[in-house]
């Protein structure tokens, strides 16, 4: 069920199930939205967790523009602060943060801000500093000069999934990206791929679970291994036959590994 809360002056939309248990917040990537976490929302709510899959500001059903029609400020720092304030607004002091790609970058920013609402963290298919950031930063703005966002999504999203992904899952991922506000999408893209958290990570005191996909060419396993090597006591797991959206490519293994991590004292 989609709910709405206004935090920090911005209205956020999110799927929310309150089971009275510990809260897990799911944070999507730059080309995705809350709907990409459906297998996790279903599974973890059945395990007794409270769950919230969030549309970040500028995405999906969350607010993209102000009352004058101007694009909202889009920064990784704002994303992290929004999530923290939403957790508090839902009546929780802490939550487990699970983030894919940009969502993982948001979690690293939350580490930088030392936000007290992080209980455990799961960083999936993400990076501390992308070695190809200079090239990546140019890609969508250049492509969208001659293509619609829907055309760009249909071209790029297949690379985020394993080759034999079910057609309906692929179509849903394409729809999520195609529906974005173009201006806030480009701002989110710029913010995501320009970050560098490598120096921060050795100081992180919350050992995360780092997940990668063996087929991921967008954020290859080496980038997840780098994160796991920099954060003291981090755990690492590579999912076979999964690409950039490993939670959709192999949801059963993804859910199992995350549940085992969350259950550990």
């Amino acid at each position: 069920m989609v709910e709405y809360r206004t935090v920090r002056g911005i209205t956020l939309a999110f799927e929310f199930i309150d089971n009275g248990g510990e809260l897990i917040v799911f944070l999507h990537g730059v080309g995705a939205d809350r709907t990409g976490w459906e297998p996790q929302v279903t599974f973890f709510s059945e395990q007794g967790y409270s769950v919230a899959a969030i549309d970040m500001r500028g995405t999906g059903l969350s607010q993209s523009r102000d009352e004058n029609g101007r694009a909202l400020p889009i920064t990784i720092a704002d994303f992290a602060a929004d999530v923290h304030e939403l957790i508090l607004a839902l009546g929780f002091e802490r939550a487990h943060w699970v983030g894919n790609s940009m969502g993982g970058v948001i979690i690293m920013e939350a580490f930088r801000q030392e936000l007290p609402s992080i209980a455990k963290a799961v960083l999936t298919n993400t990076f501390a500093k992308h070695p190809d950031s200079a090239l990546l930063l140019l890609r969508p703005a250049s492509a969208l000069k001659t293509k619609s966002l829907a055309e760009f999504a249909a071209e790029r999203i297949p690379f985020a999934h394993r080759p034999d992904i079910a057609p309906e899952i692929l179509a849903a991922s394409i729809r999520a990206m195609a529906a974005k506000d173009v201006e806030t999408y480009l701002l989110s893209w710029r913010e995501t791929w320009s970050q560098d958290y490598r120096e921060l990570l050795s100081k992180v005191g919350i050992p995360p679970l780092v997940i990668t996909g063996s087929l991921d060419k967008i954020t290859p396993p080496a980038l997840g291994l780098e994160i796991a090597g920099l954060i003291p006591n981090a755990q690492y797991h590579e999912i076979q036959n999964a690409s950039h959206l490993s939670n959709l490519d192999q949801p059963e293994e993804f859910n199992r590994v995350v549940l085992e991590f969350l259950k550990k004292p």
Side-chain angles (χ1 to χ4, degrees):
M1 177 179 176
V2 179
E3 295 196 17
Y4 298 86
R5 293 285 192 285
T6 298
V7 298
R8 306 181 68 240
I10 303 298
T11 300
L12 297 179
F14 51 98
E15 301 278 348
F16 182 51
I17 300 174
D18 186 356
N19 285 322
E22 298 172 356
L23 177 64
I24 307 173
V25 291
F26 294 101
L27 314 179
H28 61 76
V30 67
D33 65 13
R34 73 186 191 287
T35 62
W37 292 106
E38 182 179 356
Q40 285 68 51
V41 168
T42 300
F43 175 81
F44 285 97
S45 64
E46 290 174 349
Q47 301 301 312
Y49 288 92
S50 298
V51 293
I54 306 168
D55 276 343
M56 304 310 300
R57 62 165 70 192
T59 289
L61 298 177
S62 286
Q63 187 177 346
S64 295
R65 296 182 174 271
D66 65 19
E67 62 275 11
N68 297 311
R70 294 174 300 211
L72 294 178
I74 301 291
T75 70
I76 295 297
D78 279 321
F79 286 152
D82 289 349
V83 174
H84 171 71
E85 292 297 333
L86 180 61
I87 290 167
L88 301 182
L90 293 176
F92 295 85
E93 292 185 1
R94 304 176 78 205
H96 306 306
W97 294 42
V98 180
N100 187 73
S101 192
M102 180 183 78
V105 175
I106 293 168
I107 294 173
M108 286 181 272
E109 172 61 24
F111 287 151
R112 188 192 68 78
Q113 295 184 29
E114 298 183 343
L115 296 177
S117 59
I118 302 178
K120 291 188 175 182
V122 181
L123 305 166
T124 82
N125 301 90
T126 192
F127 58 92
K129 169 70 170 70
H130 202 289
D132 297 328
S133 60
L135 293 175
L136 287 166
L137 283 167
L138 299 175
R139 179 178 290 161
S142 176
L144 293 175
K145 291 177 181 177
T146 58
K147 301 173 185 176
S148 69
L149 186 53
E151 290 170 329
F152 186 55
E155 176 186 290
R156 298 305 306 173
I157 288 295
F159 292 101
H161 281 293
R162 72 184 202 215
D164 58 343
I165 194 67
E168 63 272 18
I169 296 176
L170 177 61
S173 294
I174 292 172
R175 282 196 304 273
M177 179 172 165
K180 286 176 176 280
D181 179 287
V182 173
E183 188 174 357
T184 53
Y185 166 74
L186 289 173
L187 292 170
S188 298
W189 181 278
R190 181 200 67 195
E191 277 290 298
T192 297
W193 301 105
S194 61
Q195 302 301 322
D196 185 350
Y197 290 101
R198 290 172 297 180
E199 289 190 12
L200 164 80
L201 295 185
S202 64
K203 306 178 183 72
V204 170
I206 301 173
L209 169 64
V210 181
I211 294 176
T212 62
S214 67
L215 304 179
D216 191 354
K217 299 289 177 41
I218 300 170
T219 52
L223 299 183
L225 281 166
E226 179 180 47
I227 294 171
L230 289 170
I231 301 178
N233 301 311
Q235 299 182 41
Y236 175 81
H237 183 84
E238 182 176 317
I239 299 179
Q240 299 303 306
N241 196 29
S243 188
H244 192 59
L245 297 171
S246 60
N247 67 299
L248 292 173
D249 281 358
Q250 299 292 348
E252 291 183 0
E253 181 174 353
F254 184 97
N255 293 346
R256 176 183 60 79
V257 171
V258 172
L259 180 63
E260 289 175 356
F261 173 71
L262 295 183
K263 289 290 188 183
K264 287 182 180 178

